[in-house]
Amino acid sequence: MPKDNVIKFPKNFETLIDQGNHFFDESKWHRAYECYYQAYELRPTFSLNYLLSILLSKMGEFGEALALTKEYSEEYLQHGSECTFYYLQLLVKHRDFILARRDLKNLRTAKLINVLTAYIQMQEQKMMRHEVQMQAKLRQVYALVNATPAEQLHIIAEIKRLPLAVYLQALTVVLQNDWINPLYKSELLSYIAPLAVKQKLAFNWFGQVKTVDLATLPSDFRVISYQTVWTQLTNMALDDPIILLQIQQELDLQFILLYPFADEVVQAPAVWLDELLLKYEGQTADTGDKVHLQVRRWQDKIEAYIAELNM
């Protein structure tokens, strides 16, 4: 029986792998992919994921190749060598320049880091030569104000795929616009935080004009004040796990909106948690002391911005 007909037999992992190997050796990428993918459906593994992604790349399907690798993104980054290099190359081909830069640290050798850094810069410069396209991308930033929530999320996703220099231009515009929700500001700031860019930007934040140092940004919203509030919340051992989850989700959102200045605002974590719990009980604190009033005002501001996102 011709070997090409083996694939017609009932699905068997080893048979499908053997058949895929046969087609791979003959450079029949599409046929090899079909066999390996059927085997992957039976027994998904990282090695098969890598092989399937490579085949998709050979067929010019870079977007699909990247989407497939996302299923094992942590494994790709843990390898630190060829697999990691391949994964980061796919990110660059997909114009995820900043994400690729963030993950450069996962490469184990200086040579691979230098090669990939040069590749990122080359692809960024290639994209930036299309000046009209870059200007159109930057104009999208101004559309954030009047866009629907769905459109805003799309614009933010597109900003994240800009070359670093253009991303910083877009970030400058976003941070200085009073009418852009703080959620989007914190999202774009935290996205670039791992790069520790040596630059300071003006930041219109909750009605205040502040300066943000990109080189010293917290890695995410889980700063010291957040950890303190979260520890106090978990130690309370609330009876209703659903309520606990809802409070946690709101707490996370509050601190995301306060990024990167949450520690400046939440200087009384116990009071912050008290006010949050009282809100869930439909009550207000009996005390009218200054600290409670300040916390209440901040939480009201944040709640207004959250409501704006749900409109």
Side-chain angles (χ1 to χ4, degrees):
M1 181 178 292
K3 198 170 185 179
D4 284 6
N5 293 330
V6 175
I7 195 171
K8 296 179 182 178
F9 280 79
K11 289 183 179 180
N12 175 278
F13 183 83
E14 288 74 18
T15 301
L16 290 167
I17 293 297
D18 288 342
Q19 188 69 12
N21 291 343
H22 168 71
F23 288 131
F24 190 94
D25 292 341
E26 294 187 348
S27 300
K28 295 179 179 178
W29 311 130
H30 287 84
R31 299 297 299 277
Y33 178 83
E34 291 173 6
C35 295
Y36 289 140
Y37 190 76
Q38 289 183 60
Y40 185 73
E41 287 183 314
L42 292 174
R43 194 185 304 168
T45 64
F46 170 74
S47 58
L48 265 179
N49 185 284
Y50 183 32
L51 183 54
L52 286 167
S53 182
I54 287 175
L55 284 169
L56 286 169
S57 293
K58 286 180 178 292
M59 294 184 284
E61 303 290 346
F62 298 111
E64 289 187 29
L66 177 60
L68 188 65
T69 60
K70 295 279 188 183
E71 296 177 14
Y72 283 89
S73 58
E74 290 301 318
E75 285 82 351
Y76 277 97
L77 293 175
Q78 287 169 6
H79 275 71
S81 54
E82 287 79 7
C83 294
T84 307
F85 188 84
Y86 169 75
Y87 174 64
L88 296 182
Q89 274 188 311
L90 283 179
L91 288 176
V92 178
K93 288 180 185 293
H94 193 252
R95 294 193 288 112
D96 285 320
F97 305 117
I98 292 174
L99 186 55
R101 287 178 182 273
R102 285 169 32 145
D103 290 330
L104 273 171
K105 62 182 183 297
N106 292 286
L107 291 169
R108 291 178 185 161
T109 68
K111 180 180 178 181
L112 287 177
I113 291 174
N114 292 336
V115 170
L116 194 64
T117 299
Y119 180 59
I120 293 171
Q121 292 172 343
M122 180 184 71
Q123 293 300 317
E124 284 184 325
Q125 290 167 6
K126 180 179 177 181
M127 186 176 176
M128 289 174 66
R129 282 197 288 270
H130 298 279
E131 186 176 347
V132 174
Q133 184 187 48
M134 288 298 95
Q135 291 301 319
K137 294 287 184 185
L138 285 173
R139 281 197 297 273
Q140 277 191 312
V141 178
Y142 293 95
L144 268 171
V145 175
N146 298 316
T148 66
E151 291 169 339
Q152 288 172 332
L153 290 174
H154 174 74
I155 293 170
I156 293 297
E158 285 299 298
I159 292 173
K160 287 181 176 180
R161 298 176 65 211
L162 291 171
L164 178 58
V166 185
Y167 183 95
L168 291 173
Q169 293 180 49
L171 182 61
T172 300
V173 173
V174 170
L175 294 184
Q176 293 181 5
N177 193 318
D178 277 328
W179 299 102
I180 293 178
N181 195 290
L183 177 69
Y184 302 125
K185 297 181 179 184
S186 63
E187 173 70 16
L188 293 175
L189 273 175
S190 60
Y191 192 67
I192 203 174
L195 300 187
V197 177
K198 294 180 180 179
Q199 187 168 337
K200 295 181 180 181
L201 298 176
F203 189 178
N204 288 357
W205 184 80
F206 285 93
Q208 304 175 44
V209 179
K210 300 177 77 70
T211 298
V212 60
D213 187 349
L214 302 185
T216 59
L217 285 170
S219 58
D220 65 17
F221 67 91
R222 299 176 185 87
V223 292
I224 294 173
S225 54
Y226 171 88
Q227 294 171 20
T228 304
V229 176
W230 174 240
T231 299
Q232 292 175 356
L233 176 62
T234 53
N235 287 340
M236 294 178 69
L238 296 177
D239 294 332
D240 190 337
I242 302 300
I243 294 296
L244 177 61
L245 179 60
Q246 290 175 343
I247 294 172
Q248 180 193 356
Q249 290 174 339
E250 179 153 2
L251 184 66
D252 287 358
L253 193 49
Q254 285 180 341
F255 276 80
I256 289 170
L257 287 165
L258 290 174
Y259 179 91
F261 303 114
D263 282 342
E264 294 182 21
V265 174
V266 188
Q267 295 184 16
V271 177
W272 192 273
L273 180 57
D274 283 345
E275 287 291 336
L276 183 57
L277 292 172
L278 285 167
K279 190 187 83 168
Y280 270 85
E281 296 170 0
Q283 302 177 34
T284 56
D286 293 335
T287 178
D289 67 77
K290 183 178 179 181
V291 176
H292 274 271
L293 289 173
Q294 287 177 337
V295 168
R296 207 171 302 155
R297 280 197 292 267
W298 268 108
Q299 292 195 4
D300 286 345
K301 287 181 188 178
I302 294 169
E303 190 171 358
Y305 280 115
I306 293 174
E308 180 182 295
L309 292 169
N310 295 326
M311 289 177 62

